[in-house]
C-alpha cells in the first residue's frame, strides 16, 4: 500500500489531461477491448505507447507555447495561427485491469463495480423497471480501456491515432486490441467556443489544485492534490459520523499519482430545451427576457457565464467573461435585504450550478461542512453538429449532439457518483426548510429520474414555491469508470518488457 509520506509531486509522472487538460480543438475517444488471447503481447506493446503519453509537465509547456503564439499574433495585429499540437492519454476500466492480471484492491467500490452496475443508482433511462439502461451496445458489453487523442485538427488527431493503432496492430489478424467504439468531440465554432450545446459558457468553476495551479482566481477553491490524485495529501475517506477524522485510503503503491475518470456519453436535446424556454417564459417580463431568465435560473448562470447570484435579473456579458468576478460568489448575500438563506430570489435552490457546488448551503452554518472532497476536475468536450435551421424550426432533434463528459477525481464514490446521486438526483438537496427536507426538485439539466418524473421549484422569483414539471433534455447513452495510471505505473506495472 502507498506510503504515508509519498515523494514530492513530479508533473512528469502525471498524465496530462488530469491536472492541466490536453489542449484541443478536437478529441477522439478510442474505446478498446484487449484481445483475450494476446494479453501478454498487448502489455509488451504498451511499453511502446508510453513514450507517446503526454504528461502534465508537457501540457503546461504546450499552454505556454499557445499563450506566446497568441501574444505574438496580437503584437502583429493578426489572428494567431493554430499550432500543431497533439496529446495522448490512456485509461483502463476495472475489467481491463483484471484482464491484464492487475487485481490488487485499488480502493474504490464504484470503479470496481463499473458504471453499468451503477446505472440504476445514477437514475439512467431504462433502469426504472430493469437493470439494463438504454445505452449504446459498446458500453453495455463493456470496454477494457480508452485512448484519448487530442489535437489542433482532425488530421493531426488521425495521424497520431494511426501511429497508436500500428503499435497494437489494430485491424490485423494479430491485433492485440480491438476497437469497441470511437467518438469524436469538437470545440464548438466561432463565438460558441467554450459554450456547451444549450449555449451556456462552461468550465468556469473548476477548483485549483494546491501546488499545481499558479494562478487562482477570486472565488476559486483551492483543494488538496489528493482530491484528484491517489496517494496524495487529501486522498481520504470522509467520516460518516460527526467528530470522526478523515482516514487515508489504502492504495497499492503503483496507484500513486493516478486518477479515476468518470466518463459519460450525454446526448442533449437542444431544440427541445429551447422550445420549452420559449413556451414557458417567466411571467411579468418581455417574452424573450422571460425565456432567457428561465434558462439562466435552470443553469445558475446566464449564457455569457455571468452567475445569477450576482446578476439576478439581467445578463451581464462583461461579468461573464471576467475571470476575476464570474466565480466569486457564495449564494449568501448579506447586503441584499430581499434575500437570505431561505429564499430563491436570486438563485433557485435546484439550479444546476448550485446543486453541483452548493457553496454556502453546506459550507456556512449550520452545517459548516468541508466539501473539498466532492470536487471534480472536468475535461469534457462537445460532440455532434450545430442545430440546423430545420431542427430549430421544428423544435425536434434530428441529429445526435451533446457532451463527452469527463471528470477526474481520486474517489468516484465521494466525487462523481455522490454528486450525481446524492445532489443532482436528490429532490431534497440542498437541505432547506425547517426540517431540511424541502422538496426543491432535481437538477434541471443533469438530474436523472429513471421513471421520467422531473420537477423543480424556484424558477419564478415571484412565485418561488411553484413547481414546474420538466422534460428530460440530457440523456445518458453510456459511460464507464476508468483509472488513469501514472507514467511510472504504466512503465513498471502495466507494461511488460
Amino acid at each position: 500500500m502507498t506510503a504515508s509520506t509519498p515523494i514530492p509531486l513530479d508533473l512528469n509522472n502525471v498524465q496530462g489531461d488530469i491536472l492541466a487538460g490536453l489542449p484541443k480543438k478536437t478529441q477522439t475517444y478510442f474505446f478498446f477491448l484487449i484481445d483475450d488471447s494476446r494479453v501478454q503481447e498487448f502489455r509488451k506493446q504498451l511499453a511502446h505507447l508510453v513514450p507517446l503519453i503526454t504528461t502534465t509537465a508537457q501540457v503546461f509547456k504546450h499552454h505556454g507555447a499557445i499563450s506566446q503564439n497568441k501574444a505574438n499574433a496580437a503584437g502583429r495585429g493578426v489572428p494567431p495561427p493554430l499550432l500543431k499540437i497533439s496529446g495522448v492519454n490512456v485509461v483502463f476500466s476495472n475489467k481491463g485491469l483484471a484482464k491484464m492480471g492487475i487485481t490488487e484492491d485499488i480502493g474504490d467500490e464504484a470503479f470496481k463495480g463499473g458504471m453499468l452496475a451503477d446505472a440504476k443508482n445514477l437514475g439512467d433511462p431504462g433502469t426504472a423497471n430493469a437493470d439494463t439502461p438504454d445505452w449504446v451496445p459498446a458500453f453495455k458489453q463493456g470496454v477494457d480501456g480508452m485512448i484519448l487523442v487530442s489535437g489542433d485538427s482532425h488530421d493531426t488527431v488521425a495521424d497520431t491515432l494511426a501511429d497508436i493503432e500500428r503499435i497494437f496492430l489494430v485491424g490485423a489478424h494479430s491485433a492485440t486490441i480491438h476497437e469497441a467504439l470511437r467518438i469524436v468531440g469538437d470545440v464548438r465554432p466561432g463565438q460558441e467556443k467554450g459554450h456547451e450545446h444549450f449555449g451556456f459558457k462552461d468550465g468556469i468553476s473548476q477548483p485549483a489544485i494546491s501546488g499545481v495551479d499558479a494562478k487562482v482566481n477570486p472565488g476559486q477553491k483551492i483543494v488538496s492534490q489528493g482530491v484528484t490524485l491517489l496517494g496524495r495529501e487529501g486522498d481520504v475517506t470522509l467520516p460518516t459520523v460527526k467528530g470522526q477524522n478523515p482516514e487515508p485510503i489504502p492504495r497499492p503503491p503503483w496507484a500513486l499519482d493516478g486518477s479515476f475518470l468518470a466518463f459519460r456519453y450525454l446526448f442533449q436535446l437542444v431544440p427541445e430545451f429551447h422550445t420549452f424556454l420559449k413556451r414557458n417564459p417567466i411571467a411579468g417580463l418581455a417574452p424573450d427576457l422571460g425565456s432567457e431568465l428561465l434558462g439562466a435560473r435552470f443553469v445558475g448562470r446566464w449564457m455569457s457565464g455571468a452567475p445569477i447570484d450576482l446578476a439576478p435579473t439581467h445578463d451581464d456579458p462583461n461579468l461573464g467573461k471576467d475571470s476575476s468576478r464570474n466565480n466569486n460568489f457564495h449564494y449568501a448575500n448579506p447586503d441584499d435585504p430581499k434575500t437570505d438563506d431561505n429564499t430563491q430570489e436570486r438563485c433557485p435552490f435546484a439550479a444546476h450550478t448550485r446543486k453541483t457546488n452548493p457553496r454556502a448551503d453546506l459550507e456556512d452554518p449550520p452545517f459548516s461542512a468541508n466539501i473539498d472532497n466532492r470536487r471534480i476536475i472536468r475535461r469534457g468536450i462537445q460532440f455532434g453538429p450545430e442545430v440546423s435551421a430545420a431542427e430549430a424550426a421544428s423544435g425536434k432533434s434530428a441529429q445526435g449532439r451533446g457532451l463527452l463528459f469527463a471528470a477526474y477525481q481520486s474517489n468516484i464514490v465521494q466525487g462523481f457518483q455522490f454528486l450525481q446521486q446524492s445532489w443532482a438526483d436528490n429532490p431534497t438537496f440542498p437541505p432547506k426548510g425547517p426540517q431540511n427536507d424541502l422538496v426543491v426538485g432535481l437538477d434541471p439539466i443533469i438530474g436523472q429520474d429513471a421513471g421520467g418524473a422531473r420537477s423543480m421549484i424556484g424558477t419564478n422569483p415571484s412565485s418561488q414555491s411553484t413547481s414546474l414539471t420538466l422534460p428530460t433534455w440530457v440523456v445518458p447513452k453510456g459511460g464507464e469508470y476508468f483509472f488513469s495510471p501514472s507514467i511510472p505505473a504504466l512503465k513498471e506495472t502495466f507494461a511488460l518488457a
Side-chain angles (χ1 to χ4, degrees):
M1 295 295 162
T2 50
S4 57
T5 305
I7 60 175
L9 178 64
D10 183 347
L11 298 183
N12 292 291
N13 290 341
V14 182
Q15 293 201 55
D17 201 41
I18 302 169
L19 299 180
L22 297 174
K24 63 200 178 221
K25 289 292 185 179
T26 182
Q27 286 185 318
T28 293
Y29 288 69
F30 182 89
F31 299 91
F32 63 86
L33 295 167
I34 303 170
D35 190 283
D36 292 338
S37 65
R38 295 184 170 90
V39 175
Q40 298 303 99
E41 290 91 336
F42 164 74
R43 294 184 67 182
K44 291 177 181 178
Q45 291 167 353
L46 188 60
H48 299 288
L49 176 68
V50 174
L52 302 183
I53 300 297
T54 310
T55 69
T56 297
Q58 289 173 313
V59 171
F60 279 131
K61 290 180 181 178
H62 290 163
H63 286 319
I66 292 169
S67 296
Q68 187 61 55
N69 182 53
K70 290 179 178 178
N72 292 342
R76 299 193 305 269
V78 298
L82 277 179
L83 298 180
K84 186 174 182 178
I85 293 175
S86 65
V88 177
N89 276 187
V90 64
V91 297
F92 297 91
S93 67
N94 189 57
K95 177 173 171 282
L97 293 188
K99 187 175 285 189
M100 289 188 288
I102 301 173
T103 58
E104 289 179 271
D105 186 352
I106 200 169
D108 192 286
E109 292 302 316
F111 172 74
K112 287 188 285 185
M115 190 178 285
L116 181 63
D118 208 17
K120 192 177 186 73
N121 293 329
L122 299 176
D124 283 10
T127 60
N129 301 305
D131 292 330
T132 304
D134 297 332
W135 284 7
V136 298
F139 290 116
K140 287 196 283 189
Q141 294 163 4
V143 299
D144 295 332
M146 183 268 290
I147 297 170
L148 174 63
V149 183
S150 300
D152 58 285
S153 69
H154 290 151
D155 287 343
T156 297
V157 169
D159 290 345
T160 303
L161 190 53
D163 290 340
I164 294 169
E165 289 177 316
R166 281 190 286 271
I167 291 173
F168 301 107
L169 307 174
V170 175
H173 176 72
S174 56
T176 59
I177 63 173
H178 305 285
E179 179 178 335
L181 183 66
R182 184 184 306 223
I183 310 176
V184 176
D186 294 294
V187 172
R188 293 184 65 204
Q191 293 184 341
E192 295 304 320
K193 177 184 176 183
H195 295 244
E196 50 73 53
H197 272 296
F198 290 140
F200 294 85
K201 189 173 182 179
D202 201 11
I204 297 174
S205 59
Q206 298 273 38
I209 305 299
S210 176
V212 175
D213 292 300
K215 180 183 178 183
V216 179
N217 293 315
Q220 187 177 19
K221 192 64 179 288
I222 303 174
V223 299
S224 300
Q225 294 173 2
V227 171
T228 308
L229 298 177
L230 278 69
R232 291 290 165 186
E233 182 180 358
D235 178 20
V236 296
T237 297
L238 297 178
T240 56
V241 178
K242 191 173 183 179
Q244 286 183 339
N245 293 320
E247 293 290 335
I249 301 174
R251 309 283 197 189
W254 52 261
L256 178 67
D257 291 337
S259 188
F260 291 113
L261 168 65
F263 174 82
R264 296 275 273 172
Y265 194 18
L266 301 178
F267 283 70
Q268 294 176 251
L269 303 180
V270 179
E272 291 84 346
F273 176 79
H274 288 290
T275 296
F276 185 88
L277 297 184
K278 290 177 182 177
R279 292 177 178 174
N280 296 274
I282 292 176
L285 302 172
D288 286 350
L289 178 57
S291 296
E292 188 181 5
L293 180 57
L294 178 63
R297 291 180 71 81
F298 281 164
V299 174
R301 292 184 184 273
W302 298 89
M303 288 189 178
S304 70
I308 61 171
D309 196 48
L310 300 181
T313 60
H314 292 81
D315 193 3
D316 184 347
N318 289 328
L319 169 61
K321 65 184 180 183
D322 185 350
S323 59
S324 70
R325 297 189 294 146
N326 62 15
N327 196 36
N328 195 16
F329 62 96
H330 199 56
Y331 302 124
N333 298 278
D335 296 330
D336 186 347
K338 296 189 299 180
T339 185
D340 59 31
D341 184 54
N342 291 306
T343 181
Q344 302 175 86
E345 182 81 19
R346 288 176 174 267
C347 181
F349 299 140
H352 170 63
T353 58
R354 194 164 187 169
K355 278 274 195 179
T356 54
N357 186 11
R359 306 183 192 227
D361 293 330
L362 290 185
E363 292 177 326
D364 286 5
F367 300 104
S368 301
N370 184 333
I371 59 174
D372 286 4
N373 285 75
R374 306 297 185 195
R375 302 306 303 274
I376 57 179
I377 301 289
R378 293 170 291 128
R379 300 294 184 205
I381 192 171
Q382 294 72 44
F383 72 90
E386 296 297 299
V387 173
S388 68
E391 287 177 300
S394 68
K396 298 290 184 181
S397 295
Q399 302 182 78
R401 61 181 59 83
L403 176 67
L404 304 179
F405 175 88
Y408 293 95
Q409 61 256 275
S410 64
N411 191 315
I412 299 169
V413 173
Q414 295 177 173
F416 165 77
Q417 185 193 62
F418 189 91
L419 266 64
Q420 184 69 51
Q421 182 180 356
S422 298
W423 287 1
D425 295 350
N426 182 357
T428 58
F429 184 84
K432 296 293 178 181
Q435 304 299 320
N436 295 322
D437 60 356
L438 177 67
V439 177
V440 303
L442 273 62
D443 181 320
I445 305 301
I446 65 168
Q448 299 291 324
D449 186 307
R454 290 175 13 106
S455 63
M456 68 176 287
I457 64 172
T459 54
N460 188 339
S462 300
S463 183
Q464 297 176 25
S465 62
T466 299
S467 180
L468 180 64
T469 300
L470 306 173
T472 297
W473 299 299
V474 175
V475 183
K477 287 292 184 179
E480 184 55 283
Y481 297 134
F482 294 101
F483 178 66
S484 177
S486 69
I487 305 301
L490 285 170
K491 291 178 178 178
E492 300 163 10
T493 302
F494 286 67
L496 296 177

